[in-house]
Amino acid sequence: MSSENGVLDYALNMVTLPVPVGERQLTLNTFNGQLPGPALRVRPGDNLRLLLTNQMVPAGIPTNNLAYCASTPADPHYDTRLACLQDLWKKLLQGKTPLQAFVYTNIHTHGLQVSPNDPGDNVFLRLEPLAQHQYSYNIPTDQPAGLYWYHPHYHPSTAHQGWQGLAGPIIVEGDIDAVPEIAEMRERTIVISELWIADDSGETPYSALLPIAGDVSYDSMPAVPSSMYFPLNGQLIPDITIQPGEAQRWRVLNAGPDRFIWLHVEGHTMEQIGTDGTPYHTPRSRPHIMLAPANRAEFIIKAGEPGRYRIYAEAYDQGHPGGPRPYLPLATLVVRGKRVNSRMPSTLVEPPRMPNLPVVRRRTLVFSGDITGRNGLGMQMLIDGKEYDHMRIDQEVEAGTVEEWTMVNEDVSQHPIHIHTNPFQVIDVQGIPPGDTSWLAEREPGVWWDTFRIPPRGRYTLRTYFRPDVTGLTVYHCHLLPHEDRSMMGNLLIDPPGAYPRGKP
Amino acid sequence: MHNQGRYVFNQQHRDNLSWWNRTWLPQLVPKGALLEVQLPSDPVRWIPYGEPDCQPSPLWDVAEISGPWYPGGPPRHHRVAVQLEGQHTVPNPERYRESANPYELPGVYIPVEKRVLGSSAITIFDYQLEPGPDDDYSAGRGLATICLRPDPIPDDVRVLGFPPDTPPNYVLTLVVGVRQASLGGGLPPTPLPAPPEVHPGPDVPSQPDDPHG
């Protein structure tokens, strides 16, 4: 879908449908019946209008998930069942039962530097079943040209909807597309999904998440045997064809809620031309690229000799129980056909510059987690020791200013932190584990990110510019979506220039 | 990737849930199910034990009152035998380190150096429920219990992933023979195939190129 005359007006229906993946038929929530959702193409200065309709139904609910009200209390003086019913009634009124929360939704345009206020990128919106919402995003004229994406962002159901592959690419076309060598190339947009599916029902379990050891990262309460699938554009281990000597431009998105994708292409290097939507000045050779959840990488791959080459995620320890996540085959690069010799660009475009302004404020944010369950069912993920409160302003900033934030990780799990609306540069990283060779772009100054992982028990300092034309209330959070849902999120209030501090939206 | 059809339980699935008034959730599994129990296991090791000490937690009302499986048949809380098939340990350095704890100390942030260090390993126990004879419908159905005790009993049970005032034993009561079903929203159920195996050297049939390419 491409914009015409400066407008892309499109309808997205979130609908529950049978979806074939490999040899199985799954029942998933989808955008317009597609896995992933349709690709949207716009240009800087365009108006993107999305009419979102929620047609999801609750699928995947284990029947005994609702039956705990029948359990017998050990304490005869306390009627557990009455307390359960009272709790259920209270949550029902608040719309917080799993039955309700997992089918409420909204949409976030990840990486677009657009207003967080209605009808823009308002992640506080609650779209109930059968409801519609008309979004309208005015994409700024200086939005870097690259890969962005959309996905549901209703707290606390982002992971449940993410496990079903609810995500789609947004491609902002612009200056880098006019680089002659790049303009000649075939282009592929690749969305890597991470589907968590119960083996018996073919649905995403509809329950609390418990991190476990083993190939499947999470379990549910109650437990169900389950599988994880990592399709590329909805296909398991597809062939991707290329001619010998041909250079193709790939835009790759890790849309998974949890798995770090340490991307390798056997026998090939990748010439990276952009990160998280922002292009580089010159291509940078990478033997491998790490994509934490939500990260995007745009690169050129030039095929070598004819043959079949593995495209895979190398095993990586992201801090999950039981050690490294296992090796993961993703696709096969098939080099065949007539030999060509595609030109490679030596210079790309001028990337955005950090304004030469003084740093007006410095902040430190502390991220911590507890996955034992000793504090209640599931995980507990905190920022500055606090659970997320949608009514609280956690950080207040002034548009038009530069700030430095130091992100401290007290957890052994790496946390990829995403700040909505404004990208940032990382000026210092501490605590990269010895021998962890996955940190390449992360060590380079000047790269713009919208999601950056904190090393285990490490820290980094970012510098960001709150653009003066975008104000309002938005969020920052861990993009391991189960962590976001379990409170590793904070509210960010961006005041208009000269109006700091206001204390409320 | 899949968990080999096993029902995986960890310390959070135990009976005696402090956050639910020390009751337990009905964990439903089919007869003959494969089970896996993962527990933090350093500085302790877990020792399985059986009857007579290992007993189901006080019965779930519905199982208790719903009578036999069929007229004249055995009660639903008939005991089902569990067979331990093996165990192994995987490293887990510091992953169970306790974090800030607003439930025990509301509003108080616990500095990282003052937290419980937790376990640096996970022990995984593989069990199978004994299904009984094929021609006996009621065989292998009822209540099954898995029990493990730590050795030595730690000073602070939080290293086991348990709340501070919890007994250290791990007891898991299962309702066997009642397969979990999905409400499914009225959609047709999907069949139950084995999940596809993922091989390091992919040799699957060619797929069409990606739709966006």
Side-chain angles (χ1 to χ4, degrees), chain A residues 182-203:
Chain A
I182 290 179
E184 294 172 356
M185 294 176 186
R186 290 177 68 191
E187 177 184 319
R188 294 181 186 274
T189 302
I190 297 172
V191 177
I192 304 173
S193 304
E194 181 180 18
L195 311 179
W196 179 42
I197 303 296
D199 286 345
D200 55 355
S201 67
E203 299 161 339

Side-chain angles (χ1 to χ4, degrees), chain B residues 33-117:
Chain B
L34 299 169
L35 313 173
E36 181 175 310
V37 176
Q38 301 182 358
L39 293 175
S41 58
D42 180 23
V44 305
R45 63 191 183 104
W46 291 95
I47 300 173
Y49 65 98
E51 295 186 64
D53 296 331
C54 180
Q55 294 291 336
S57 294
L59 292 177
W60 177 37
D61 278 6
V62 173
E64 200 170 12
I65 65 177
S66 57
W69 289 102
Y70 53 89
R76 291 195 182 198
H77 54 270
H78 173 74
R79 296 295 299 277
V80 177
V82 183
Q83 190 68 40
L84 176 64
E85 298 202 318
Q87 68 181 69
H88 65 283
T89 299
V90 296
N92 193 53
E94 296 194 272
R95 281 170 175 77
Y96 286 142
R97 191 172 178 125
E98 188 183 23
S99 183
N101 189 341
Y103 290 101
E104 287 180 62
L105 299 166
V108 176
Y109 178 69
I110 303 172
V112 68
E113 63 274 12
K114 293 185 178 178
R115 297 178 198 160
V116 174
L117 276 178

Side-chain angles (χ1 to χ4, degrees), chain A residues 72 81 203 219 374 410, chain B residues 8 61 95 109 158 182:
Chain A
T72 307
R81 290 158 291 191
E203 299 161 339
D219 198 9
R374 65 169 69 93
E410 293 192 341
Chain B
V8 181
D61 278 6
R95 281 170 175 77
Y109 178 69
R158 287 182 294 176
S182 167

Side-chain angles (χ1 to χ4, degrees), chain B:
Chain B
M1 296 187 295
H2 51 85
N3 52 21
Q4 300 176 308
R6 296 176 188 275
Y7 290 77
V8 181
F9 302 94
N10 69 5
Q11 70 277 6
Q12 298 207 45
H13 292 94
R14 72 187 183 282
D15 299 350
N16 193 23
L17 294 166
S18 63
W19 52 267
W20 189 235
N21 201 33
R22 308 219 170 280
T23 58
W24 55 291
L25 297 177
Q27 302 281 344
L28 306 185
V29 294
K31 61 184 289 186
L34 299 169
L35 313 173
E36 181 175 310
V37 176
Q38 301 182 358
L39 293 175
S41 58
D42 180 23
V44 305
R45 63 191 183 104
W46 291 95
I47 300 173
Y49 65 98
E51 295 186 64
D53 296 331
C54 180
Q55 294 291 336
S57 294
L59 292 177
W60 177 37
D61 278 6
V62 173
E64 200 170 12
I65 65 177
S66 57
W69 289 102
Y70 53 89
R76 291 195 182 198
H77 54 270
H78 173 74
R79 296 295 299 277
V80 177
V82 183
Q83 190 68 40
L84 176 64
E85 298 202 318
Q87 68 181 69
H88 65 283
T89 299
V90 296
N92 193 53
E94 296 194 272
R95 281 170 175 77
Y96 286 142
R97 191 172 178 125
E98 188 183 23
S99 183
N101 189 341
Y103 290 101
E104 287 180 62
L105 299 166
V108 176
Y109 178 69
I110 303 172
V112 68
E113 63 274 12
K114 293 185 178 178
R115 297 178 198 160
V116 174
L117 276 178
S119 176
S120 62
I122 296 173
T123 297
I124 298 171
F125 297 87
D126 293 316
Y127 292 93
Q128 182 162 21
L129 298 171
E130 293 191 356
D134 290 341
D135 58 353
D136 183 352
Y137 176 82
S138 64
R141 299 176 192 267
L143 292 177
T145 309
I146 290 173
C147 298
L148 299 124
R149 66 167 177 267
D151 179 32
I153 295 174
D155 294 334
D156 189 338
V157 294
R158 287 182 294 176
V159 301
L160 307 177
F162 295 171
D165 54 350
T166 306
N169 285 18
Y170 180 85
V171 179
L172 173 68
T173 304
L174 302 169
V175 180
V176 186
V178 185
R179 183 159 206 148
Q180 292 176 22
S182 167
L183 297 183
L187 292 163
T190 53
L192 180 61
E197 293 289 343
V198 175
H199 302 285
D203 56 0
V204 296
S206 296
Q207 300 284 332
D209 286 345
D210 69 286
H212 306 297

Side-chain angles (χ1 to χ4, degrees), chain A residues 5-76:
Chain A
N5 302 318
V7 176
L8 175 56
D9 196 346
Y10 191 65
L12 284 175
N13 295 325
M14 298 177 74
V15 57
T16 312
L17 287 172
V19 176
V21 173
E23 297 176 350
R24 293 194 67 184
Q25 177 174 284
L26 312 179
T27 302
L28 301 176
N29 293 322
T30 65
F31 286 113
N32 295 3
Q34 298 180 29
L35 173 69
L40 309 176
R41 287 181 174 269
V42 294
R43 299 186 66 83
D46 279 357
N47 177 233
L48 171 61
R49 293 173 57 80
L50 295 177
L51 178 62
L52 182 67
T53 304
N54 182 359
Q55 297 179 325
M56 293 189 293
V57 297
I61 306 172
T63 45
N64 54 340
N65 201 24
L66 302 175
Y68 65 95
C69 285
S71 53
T72 307
D75 180 355

